Amino acid sequence: MTPRRIVSHVLLVLVALLFMGPLVYAVATSLKPADEVFTPKPDLIGSEVRWQNYVDAFTFAPFATYFLNSLLVAVIGTLVVVVASSLSAYAFARLRFKGRESLFVVFLGTLMVPQEVLIVPMYWLMQAFGWVDSFRALILPWAFTAFGTFLLRQFFLTVPAELEEAARVDGCGPFGSFLRIMVPLARPAIAVLTVFTFIGFWGSFLWPLIITNSVDTKGTVPLGLAQFIGQQGTHWNLMMAASVLAMLPTVLLVIALQKHLVRGLLVTGLGGR
Amino acid sequence: MAAALGRAEARRAWVFVGPSLAGLAIFTLFPTAMALGISLFDWPVFGERTFRGLGNYAELLNDPIFRRVILNTCLFVVLYVPLNVVISLGLAVWLGPHIMGRQAFRVLFFIPVMTPMVANAMVWRLLFQPGGLLDTSSQSLFGVHAPNFLGSTAWAMPAIVAMSVWQGFGYNFLVFSAALDQVPHSQLESAQIDGASTFARFRYITLPMITPSIFFATTMTLITSFQVFAQPFILTQGGPGVATQTLVMYIYDQGWQFLNMGLASAAGWVLFVIIMGITAIQFLGQKKWVHYDA
């Protein structure tokens, strides 16, 4: 190794450490006693390592409920997104019907519309449906995206038509060949869509802030965390414990799926919300 | 026979497209049109609605807070987008094929992109707090207090930008990394043999080849940065005063604090028009600098 390359590696490690600083600080604070969060000197470890903070966070605020709610919203939301988009993607890629091309253009056009334009009429719509302050309102308005349709269509187009024709000769209808041929082949693309959709629902903040009134029973994790903003005497050690827990599922997902991430990013493009 | 088969296939196709089409019609197409309609009304959450034409838009133009909000949002965009692109591209180039453990670095820089924005922002709120890590570090290193980042008009916006760059650059970093991996080694090597400097090789071979990625990344980053909300909401609540209030915070405040849906909807359409405008300008301008002939 040349000296230049050694310097390059050392500097990169320093950059990475600097980058991780806030995360390390969050974990360190989450393990400190409450009265040692603000000390005159920077020290990461307090007089004791309080794992109890993680337990206390769950009694201090209904974080168990927030986590369950987030999980429910993210899992069901992702399921609806994946099923609806793969169905329509298959139709756009493989089935012939009148107006297919123009309908696809309409689908793509909806990608231009930012969520912020939709929230006012969406809130009004939820009032009209009587859905304000419900899980339905947290899930359904964002569960039909043209984005998933577009992504999966691109994959379905790459599947050779012969595979499907063979299945048809063997007596498979469109539903059969969709389920038995196309969906299994598109598994990597579906996995990418699943992860990005899950993360989108898991981290979503503006809409839950608007539509959820009963935060204690229907709040999601980001909404629960935000509850403590502006309160006097915020319990920072407990807040950091909750923040670290909120990050954990996604950190694990990133590590587990690192190999597919780069490719997934390039094909999905738009990524999270 | 063939026509009957075609009709059967068409019928089945609508079953496949149906759920998505219905969902998009109810939850995207209809609300988009509705937003324009609502923006033309005085539309309180409860009570009488009255038509006021372009009155809401006129009110926005004359509202000094709205003008300030637009200015703040533009300031965020102007600081955030170049920093994001330069840092993510710089690191992607630095982390070339000869760097050991590049996969680990990639994962690391991507983590905050995927973690909830609110959780990230909570961590940085503590970091910026008087008595937080930045303050105590400054005291031990230099013997002076750090500025009160989030409570100062001069520092609050840069602090929000810093947090946002930290959380967001990993996305473009991965996009650029993947694009750089596609640049053929043979060309770079033959240029090196011909005596081209490192800079010249980057400027005349690598850079032109990754312009589609740079175009894509800057367009997406520009669009999303105009939608900034959670970071100022958590870090400063728009303060001090209205120093860090952004366009989406204004929409939220008008709609759900002051219960004026008409004005909120008009502000939403202003955002939509800004986003359409940027996209159009980017796509018109791309002919001049984006090379697709790889």
Side-chain angles (χ1 to χ4, degrees), chain A residues 59-85:
Chain A
T59 47
F60 167 69
F63 275 112
T65 309
Y66 299 150
F67 275 93
L68 280 176
N69 291 346
S70 273
L71 206 61
L72 178 85
V73 168
V75 167
I76 296 183
T78 306
L79 210 67
V80 179
V81 168
V82 169
V83 171
S85 350

Short mmCIF file of all heavy atoms in Angstrom, two decimals, chain A residues 59-85:
data_model
loop_
_atom_site.label_atom_id
_atom_site.label_comp_id
_atom_site.label_asym_id
_atom_site.label_seq_id
_atom_site.Cartn_x
_atom_site.Cartn_y
_atom_site.Cartn_z
N THR A 59 -42.94 2.98 30.02
CA THR A 59 -43.94 3.35 31.02
C THR A 59 -44.15 4.86 31.03
O THR A 59 -45.23 5.35 31.34
CB THR A 59 -43.50 2.88 32.42
OG1 THR A 59 -42.13 3.24 32.62
CG2 THR A 59 -43.66 1.39 32.56
N PHE A 60 -43.10 5.60 30.62
CA PHE A 60 -43.15 7.05 30.60
C PHE A 60 -44.13 7.55 29.55
O PHE A 60 -44.85 8.53 29.74
CB PHE A 60 -41.73 7.55 30.32
CG PHE A 60 -41.62 8.99 29.96
CD1 PHE A 60 -41.87 9.98 30.89
CD2 PHE A 60 -41.24 9.36 28.67
CE1 PHE A 60 -41.75 11.31 30.55
CE2 PHE A 60 -41.12 10.68 28.33
CZ PHE A 60 -41.38 11.65 29.27
N ALA A 61 -44.19 6.87 28.41
CA ALA A 61 -45.15 7.20 27.35
C ALA A 61 -45.58 5.87 26.72
O ALA A 61 -44.84 4.90 26.82
CB ALA A 61 -44.51 8.10 26.31
N PRO A 62 -46.76 5.84 26.10
CA PRO A 62 -47.21 4.54 25.54
C PRO A 62 -46.45 4.12 24.29
O PRO A 62 -47.03 3.93 23.23
CB PRO A 62 -48.69 4.79 25.25
CG PRO A 62 -48.83 6.26 25.09
CD PRO A 62 -47.77 6.89 25.93
N PHE A 63 -45.13 3.97 24.41
CA PHE A 63 -44.34 3.63 23.23
C PHE A 63 -44.65 2.24 22.70
O PHE A 63 -44.54 1.99 21.50
CB PHE A 63 -42.84 3.77 23.52
CG PHE A 63 -42.36 5.17 23.32
CD1 PHE A 63 -41.94 5.93 24.40
CD2 PHE A 63 -42.36 5.74 22.06
CE1 PHE A 63 -41.53 7.25 24.22
CE2 PHE A 63 -41.94 7.05 21.86
CZ PHE A 63 -41.53 7.79 22.95
N ALA A 64 -45.05 1.32 23.61
CA ALA A 64 -45.42 -0.02 23.13
C ALA A 64 -46.58 0.10 22.14
O ALA A 64 -46.58 -0.51 21.07
CB ALA A 64 -45.80 -0.90 24.30
N THR A 65 -47.57 0.94 22.50
CA THR A 65 -48.71 1.17 21.60
C THR A 65 -48.25 1.81 20.30
O THR A 65 -48.66 1.39 19.22
CB THR A 65 -49.74 2.09 22.29
OG1 THR A 65 -50.01 1.56 23.58
CG2 THR A 65 -51.00 2.20 21.50
N TYR A 66 -47.38 2.83 20.40
CA TYR A 66 -46.89 3.49 19.18
C TYR A 66 -46.23 2.47 18.25
O TYR A 66 -46.44 2.49 17.04
CB TYR A 66 -45.87 4.58 19.51
CG TYR A 66 -46.39 5.71 20.38
CD1 TYR A 66 -45.54 6.39 21.24
CD2 TYR A 66 -47.72 6.10 20.33
CE1 TYR A 66 -46.00 7.43 22.04
CE2 TYR A 66 -48.19 7.13 21.13
CZ TYR A 66 -47.32 7.80 21.98
OH TYR A 66 -47.77 8.82 22.77
N PHE A 67 -45.39 1.60 18.84
CA PHE A 67 -44.68 0.63 18.00
C PHE A 67 -45.66 -0.34 17.34
O PHE A 67 -45.53 -0.64 16.15
CB PHE A 67 -43.63 -0.13 18.82
CG PHE A 67 -42.32 0.60 18.91
CD1 PHE A 67 -42.05 1.45 19.97
CD2 PHE A 67 -41.37 0.48 17.90
CE1 PHE A 67 -40.87 2.16 20.04
CE2 PHE A 67 -40.17 1.18 17.97
CZ PHE A 67 -39.92 2.02 19.03
N LEU A 68 -46.62 -0.84 18.11
CA LEU A 68 -47.61 -1.76 17.54
C LEU A 68 -48.40 -1.08 16.44
O LEU A 68 -48.63 -1.66 15.38
CB LEU A 68 -48.55 -2.26 18.64
CG LEU A 68 -47.98 -3.39 19.50
CD1 LEU A 68 -48.95 -3.76 20.62
CD2 LEU A 68 -47.68 -4.61 18.64
N ASN A 69 -48.81 0.19 16.68
CA ASN A 69 -49.57 0.92 15.67
C ASN A 69 -48.75 1.11 14.40
O ASN A 69 -49.25 0.90 13.29
CB ASN A 69 -49.97 2.29 16.20
CG ASN A 69 -51.02 2.20 17.30
OD1 ASN A 69 -51.63 1.14 17.48
ND2 ASN A 69 -51.22 3.27 18.03
N SER A 70 -47.48 1.50 14.55
CA SER A 70 -46.62 1.70 13.39
C SER A 70 -46.48 0.41 12.61
O SER A 70 -46.51 0.40 11.39
CB SER A 70 -45.23 2.18 13.82
OG SER A 70 -45.21 3.57 13.94
N LEU A 71 -46.30 -0.68 13.36
CA LEU A 71 -46.13 -1.99 12.73
C LEU A 71 -47.38 -2.35 11.93
O LEU A 71 -47.30 -2.77 10.78
CB LEU A 71 -45.84 -3.03 13.81
CG LEU A 71 -45.05 -4.25 13.38
CD1 LEU A 71 -43.68 -3.84 12.89
CD2 LEU A 71 -44.92 -5.22 14.55
N LEU A 72 -48.53 -2.17 12.56
CA LEU A 72 -49.81 -2.48 11.91
C LEU A 72 -49.98 -1.66 10.63
O LEU A 72 -50.25 -2.21 9.55
CB LEU A 72 -50.95 -2.16 12.89
CG LEU A 72 -52.36 -2.39 12.36
CD1 LEU A 72 -52.74 -3.85 12.56
CD2 LEU A 72 -53.38 -1.49 13.06
N VAL A 73 -49.77 -0.35 10.74
CA VAL A 73 -49.95 0.53 9.58
C VAL A 73 -48.95 0.17 8.48
O VAL A 73 -49.32 0.06 7.30
CB VAL A 73 -49.78 2.00 10.00
CG1 VAL A 73 -49.67 2.91 8.79
CG2 VAL A 73 -50.94 2.43 10.89
N ALA A 74 -47.70 -0.05 8.86
CA ALA A 74 -46.67 -0.31 7.85
C ALA A 74 -46.88 -1.66 7.17
O ALA A 74 -46.73 -1.78 5.96
CB ALA A 74 -45.28 -0.22 8.48
N VAL A 75 -47.24 -2.68 7.95
CA VAL A 75 -47.39 -4.01 7.37
C VAL A 75 -48.60 -4.06 6.44
O VAL A 75 -48.50 -4.50 5.28
CB VAL A 75 -47.51 -5.09 8.47
CG1 VAL A 75 -47.98 -6.42 7.89
CG2 VAL A 75 -46.16 -5.28 9.17
N ILE A 76 -49.74 -3.57 6.91
CA ILE A 76 -50.94 -3.63 6.07
C ILE A 76 -50.79 -2.71 4.86
O ILE A 76 -51.10 -3.07 3.73
CB ILE A 76 -52.20 -3.26 6.87
CG1 ILE A 76 -52.41 -4.31 7.97
CG2 ILE A 76 -53.43 -3.20 5.97
CD1 ILE A 76 -53.63 -4.11 8.80
N GLY A 77 -50.25 -1.50 5.10
CA GLY A 77 -50.03 -0.57 4.00
C GLY A 77 -49.14 -1.18 2.92
O GLY A 77 -49.45 -1.12 1.73
N THR A 78 -48.06 -1.80 3.34
CA THR A 78 -47.13 -2.41 2.39
C THR A 78 -47.82 -3.53 1.61
O THR A 78 -47.64 -3.66 0.40
CB THR A 78 -45.89 -2.95 3.13
OG1 THR A 78 -45.33 -1.89 3.89
CG2 THR A 78 -44.86 -3.47 2.15
N LEU A 79 -48.60 -4.33 2.34
CA LEU A 79 -49.31 -5.43 1.69
C LEU A 79 -50.23 -4.92 0.58
O LEU A 79 -50.23 -5.44 -0.54
CB LEU A 79 -50.13 -6.17 2.76
CG LEU A 79 -50.37 -7.65 2.53
CD1 LEU A 79 -49.06 -8.41 2.62
CD2 LEU A 79 -51.36 -8.19 3.54
N VAL A 80 -51.00 -3.88 0.90
CA VAL A 80 -51.92 -3.33 -0.11
C VAL A 80 -51.14 -2.78 -1.29
O VAL A 80 -51.48 -3.03 -2.45
CB VAL A 80 -52.82 -2.23 0.51
CG1 VAL A 80 -53.75 -1.66 -0.55
CG2 VAL A 80 -53.63 -2.78 1.67
N VAL A 81 -50.07 -2.04 -1.01
CA VAL A 81 -49.27 -1.47 -2.09
C VAL A 81 -48.75 -2.57 -3.01
O VAL A 81 -48.87 -2.49 -4.24
CB VAL A 81 -48.08 -0.65 -1.53
CG1 VAL A 81 -47.09 -0.31 -2.64
CG2 VAL A 81 -48.57 0.62 -0.86
N VAL A 82 -48.19 -3.62 -2.41
CA VAL A 82 -47.56 -4.67 -3.22
C VAL A 82 -48.60 -5.42 -4.04
O VAL A 82 -48.40 -5.66 -5.24
CB VAL A 82 -46.74 -5.63 -2.32
CG1 VAL A 82 -46.32 -6.86 -3.10
CG2 VAL A 82 -45.53 -4.92 -1.75
N VAL A 83 -49.73 -5.77 -3.44
CA VAL A 83 -50.75 -6.52 -4.18
C VAL A 83 -51.33 -5.67 -5.30
O VAL A 83 -51.36 -6.09 -6.47
CB VAL A 83 -51.88 -7.00 -3.22
CG1 VAL A 83 -53.04 -7.58 -4.03
CG2 VAL A 83 -51.33 -8.05 -2.26
N ALA A 84 -51.75 -4.45 -4.97
CA ALA A 84 -52.38 -3.60 -5.99
C ALA A 84 -51.40 -3.27 -7.11
O ALA A 84 -51.76 -3.34 -8.29
CB ALA A 84 -52.91 -2.31 -5.35
N SER A 85 -50.15 -2.95 -6.75
CA SER A 85 -49.22 -2.58 -7.84
C SER A 85 -48.82 -3.76 -8.69
O SER A 85 -48.63 -3.60 -9.89
CB SER A 85 -47.95 -1.88 -7.35
OG SER A 85 -47.97 -1.53 -6.05
#
